[in-house]
């Protein structure tokens, strides 16, 4: 049986692009249609409400792995119990998150003391509408997990694209007409509801024997899901302190930098988001291999996917770091270019550091040893949050970015030192793996770091182009035949 990994990774990348489309494509318009204060309020509201995404607690990935196993063994009853119980759990978590946002909004003046009372009131309404959108989206995401588990990732990508495109168009038109962040958040809610309806229709039409009943929610499956997703829940909660709550620290100490920080963070997430999307296709692949007693494929998948995806990540990170001023100038306008370029450099480096171990984490989830990695994200979160609070009063948003980078290095180093796959991939030697699959593919980033240290932030296109050519040449030098085969597989329409 031929592997569908390259094809499914390609579809996951398409879905990843769709997922970040609203955060990537809206800022260039909103930065020009809204005042800097309004734009900062929108960015902060979106980031605060977006914390509900972390309440997924990895259930979509866990559900996809169970569904892959059920499909390989022909156990439809298992699939239906997983889907029903996961959706019920995420509905409850979404409602809890919505209530948490309500409480946060009631204390907004404590977190954003430099915003005007009128702007804070607008932010309260915007946050609640956006949080309600995520609350709806959380349980429905399990319907897409069915397609991931069945390795029909084309439907997953299509559904994600349609949902995000509808939301983008609704917000874009509303923001242009009203120039109001509350109306834009209401449009986001309407787009999410319509996208959710489309997901349900697609599930009913394209999923084999779609079945969903309250009677399928079982306490036994709930306990199993809690056991499997518990470590991922720790990761999700740690991520709130590692990356998400930092914008609140920026808002408290350097509110003027909120638009640039939030926008740079969204841009930096593009690379890591696509890496996670492509790497996510490894989870059901390994789940099916485990069910079919083909675990000898695990090491091959690990080396192949990690090296290739990190090479792509390194090239993308180098581009963002070197061309940061031009990117921010084109994306948000001259007013945000200088500050945004510095923040983009730091945050792109952060996502590169964290993303370099992303495929390893996905494989750990695929073989079911995520429970061994609960301590590392907690330590990383404490380092990140602590350094942000320590550095922000003196260095503002830049200090927050520096603290996040240091914490990212700590997190990856701890995971590689622990090596939770040590007895599941029997011939995995961690030091050669780190050199070959983490350090070597990121060689273009080392060139970029040296360049940004010596070049002015607004370096000319000729200098930027020369450095990027050098980064590309270095990337080509470390490209392997397996990398080329993997990329060609991504470009094929069928496996």
């Amino acid at each position: 049986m031929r592997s569908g990994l390259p094809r499914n990774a390609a579809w996951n990348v398409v879905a990843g692009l769709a997922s970040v489309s609203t955060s990537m494509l809206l800022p260039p318009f909103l930065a020009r249609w809204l005042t800097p204060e309004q734009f900062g309020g929108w960015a902060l509201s979106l980031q605060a409400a977006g914390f509900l995404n972390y309440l997924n607690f990895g259930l979509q990935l866990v559900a996809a792995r169970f569904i892959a196993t059920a499909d390989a063994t022909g156990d439809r009853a298992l699939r239906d119990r997983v889907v029903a119980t996961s959706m019920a759990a995420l509905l409850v978590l979404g409602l809890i998150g919505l209530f948490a946002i309500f409480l946060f909004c009631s204390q907004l003046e404590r977190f954003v003391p430099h915003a005007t009372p009128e702007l804070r009131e607008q932010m309260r309404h915007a946050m609640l509408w956006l949080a309600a959108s995520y609350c709806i989206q959380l349980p429905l995401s399990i319907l897409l997990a069915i397609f991931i588990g069945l390795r029909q990732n084309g439907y997953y990508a299509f559904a994600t694209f349609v949902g995000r495109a509808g939301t983008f168009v609704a917000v874009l038109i509303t923001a242009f007409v009203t120039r109001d962040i509350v109306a834009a958040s209401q449009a986001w809610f309407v787009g999410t509801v319509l996208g959710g309806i489309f997901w349900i229709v697609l599930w009913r039409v394209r999923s084999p024997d779609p079945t969903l009943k309250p009677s399928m929610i079982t306490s036994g499956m709930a306990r199993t899901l809690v056991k499997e997703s518990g470590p991922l829940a720790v990761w999700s909660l740690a991520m709130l302190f590692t990356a998400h709550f930092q914008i609140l620290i920026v808002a408290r100490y350097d509110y003027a930098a909120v638009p640039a920080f939030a926008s740079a963070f969204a841009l930096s997430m593009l690379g890591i988001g696509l890496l996670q999307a492509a790497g996510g296709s490894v989870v059901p692949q390994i789940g099916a291999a485990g069910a079919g007693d083909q675990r000898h494929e695990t090491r091959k998948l690990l080396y192949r996917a990690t090296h290739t995806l990190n090479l792509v990540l390194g090239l993308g990170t180098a581009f963002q770091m070197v061309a940061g001023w031009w990117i921010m100038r084109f994306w948000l306008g001259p007013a945000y270019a200088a500050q945004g370029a510095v923040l983009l450099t730091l945050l792109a480096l952060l996502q590169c550091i964290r993303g370099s171990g992303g495929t390893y984490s996905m494989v750990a989830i695929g073989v079911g040893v995520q429970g061994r990695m609960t301590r590392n994200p907690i330590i990383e979160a404490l380092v990140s949050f602590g350094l942000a609070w320590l550095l922000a009063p003196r260095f503002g948003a830049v200090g927050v970015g520096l603290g996040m980078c240091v914490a990212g290095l700590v997190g990856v180093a701890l995971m590689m030192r622990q090596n939770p796959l040590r007895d599941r991939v029997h011939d995995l030697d961690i030091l050669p793996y780190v050199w070959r699959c983490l350090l070597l593919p990121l060689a273009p980033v080392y060139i970029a770091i040296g360049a940004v240290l010596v070049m002015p932030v607004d370096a000319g296109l000729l200098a930027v182009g020369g450095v990027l050519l050098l980064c590309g040449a270095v990337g080509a030098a470390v490209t392997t035949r397996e990398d080329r085969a993997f990329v060609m597989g991504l470009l094929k329409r069928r496996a």
Side-chain angles (χ1 to χ4, degrees):
M1 182 177 66
R2 292 182 299 173
S3 170
L5 177 62
R7 178 193 61 190
N8 289 329
W11 281 122
N12 277 16
V13 168
V14 173
L17 285 171
S19 296
V20 301
S21 62
T22 48
S23 59
M24 289 291 299
L25 299 179
L26 279 175
F29 299 99
L30 299 183
R32 292 164 173 83
W33 295 344
L34 303 176
T35 66
E37 292 76 17
Q38 283 181 307
F39 185 37
W42 168 263
L44 184 58
S45 299
L46 189 59
Q47 287 277 2
F51 112 88
L52 268 75
N53 273 334
Y54 291 95
L55 298 184
N56 182 285
F57 288 162
L59 273 175
Q60 188 183 50
L61 277 176
V62 172
R65 181 160 64 86
F66 274 113
I67 291 168
T69 302
D71 179 59
T73 58
D75 190 348
R76 289 266 176 100
L78 172 62
R79 180 202 68 179
D80 294 339
R81 291 197 304 274
V82 168
V83 171
T85 308
S86 298
M87 290 189 70
L90 288 180
L91 177 60
V92 172
L93 289 171
L95 292 173
I96 293 173
L98 184 60
F99 181 68
I101 290 294
F102 174 78
L103 294 179
F104 174 75
C105 289
S106 68
Q107 301 295 320
L108 198 58
E109 63 277 356
R110 295 177 179 271
F111 295 95
V112 195
H114 302 295
T116 64
E118 180 183 1
L119 179 59
R120 282 199 295 267
E121 186 63 24
Q122 293 176 0
M123 290 169 62
R124 287 190 181 96
H125 291 286
M127 282 185 199
L128 289 173
W129 281 108
L130 293 168
S133 303
Y134 288 116
C135 183
I136 293 172
Q137 186 176 295
L138 265 178
L140 293 180
S141 67
I142 297 300
L143 299 181
L144 302 187
I146 296 174
F147 296 117
I148 298 174
L150 296 176
R151 283 163 287 167
Q152 296 176 352
N153 297 56
Y155 291 130
Y156 164 62
F158 180 57
T160 304
F161 174 79
V162 170
R164 294 299 188 183
T167 301
F168 169 74
V169 172
V171 175
L172 188 69
I173 294 174
T174 304
F176 176 74
V177 173
T178 66
R179 302 299 205 269
D180 180 70
I181 65 174
V182 177
S185 65
Q186 292 169 338
W188 188 295
F189 177 82
V190 172
T192 300
V193 171
L194 294 177
I197 293 173
F198 177 76
W199 290 3
I200 295 172
V201 171
L202 185 66
W203 165 69
R204 294 286 299 176
V205 173
R206 293 299 181 183
S207 175
D209 190 23
T211 307
L212 183 62
K213 297 178 181 178
S215 60
M216 295 173 180
I217 303 172
T218 66
S219 58
M221 179 53 64
R223 286 192 295 269
T224 300
L225 290 174
V226 168
K227 178 182 178 182
E228 293 294 324
S229 65
L232 300 180
V234 174
W235 289 4
S236 296
L237 291 174
M239 275 296 297
L240 290 174
F241 292 91
T242 301
H244 207 73
F245 283 162
Q246 267 69 3
I247 194 171
L248 301 180
I249 301 176
V250 175
R252 181 173 180 83
Y253 291 104
D254 193 6
Y255 183 76
V258 166
F261 186 90
S263 301
F265 186 80
L267 267 178
S268 70
M269 284 295 292
L270 176 62
I272 185 65
L274 297 182
L275 178 73
Q276 289 175 342
S281 61
V282 172
V283 175
Q285 190 80 11
I286 291 177
D293 196 23
Q294 302 174 23
R295 298 190 180 189
H296 60 278
E297 293 290 326
T298 302
R299 182 182 184 277
K300 180 180 178 182
L301 287 173
L302 175 64
Y303 271 81
R304 182 185 183 195
T306 306
H307 190 281
T308 304
L309 295 176
N310 278 350
L311 177 60
V312 175
L313 178 65
L315 289 170
T317 301
F319 175 74
Q320 288 186 330
M321 294 177 67
V322 175
W325 187 85
W326 291 95
I327 293 172
M328 297 301 287
R329 187 179 188 277
F330 174 78
W331 197 40
L332 298 182
Y336 300 97
Q339 185 181 46
V342 175
L343 294 173
L344 179 59
T345 295
L346 287 171
L347 295 176
L349 181 60
L350 161 71
Q351 302 301 349
C352 180
I353 294 168
R354 300 193 77 254
S356 63
T359 305
Y360 185 97
S361 299
M362 291 296 180
V363 172
I365 295 170
V367 300
V369 297
Q370 62 269 25
R372 300 176 178 178
M373 298 187 289
T374 55
R375 181 181 60 183
N376 299 341
I378 295 175
I379 295 174
E380 182 182 350
L382 292 174
V383 173
S384 179
F385 205 63
L387 287 177
W389 274 111
L390 181 66
L391 297 175
R394 182 173 181 181
F395 300 104
V398 173
V400 174
L402 285 170
M404 294 168 73
C405 287
V406 173
L409 280 171
V410 170
V412 174
L414 286 174
M415 182 170 62
M416 292 299 110
R417 182 180 182 275
Q418 183 187 19
N419 188 18
L421 289 174
R422 58 190 178 277
D423 56 354
R424 299 304 296 268
V425 183
H426 299 296
D427 52 352
L428 175 62
D429 190 340
I430 196 62
L431 290 180
Y433 170 77
V434 168
W435 167 251
R436 177 182 170 187
C437 297
L438 272 68
L439 296 178
L440 194 60
L442 298 181
V445 178
Y446 313 146
I447 304 297
I449 292 173
V452 298
L453 289 176
V454 299
M455 287 170 34
V457 68
D458 57 347
L461 284 175
L462 187 61
V464 169
V467 174
L468 291 178
L469 284 175
L470 179 59
C471 291
V474 172
V478 298
T479 301
T480 66
R481 183 173 58 184
E482 289 78 10
D483 294 329
R484 291 189 289 271
F486 189 83
V487 172
M488 291 304 297
L490 294 179
L491 299 177
K492 290 181 180 178
R493 301 185 66 89
R494 62 185 183 87

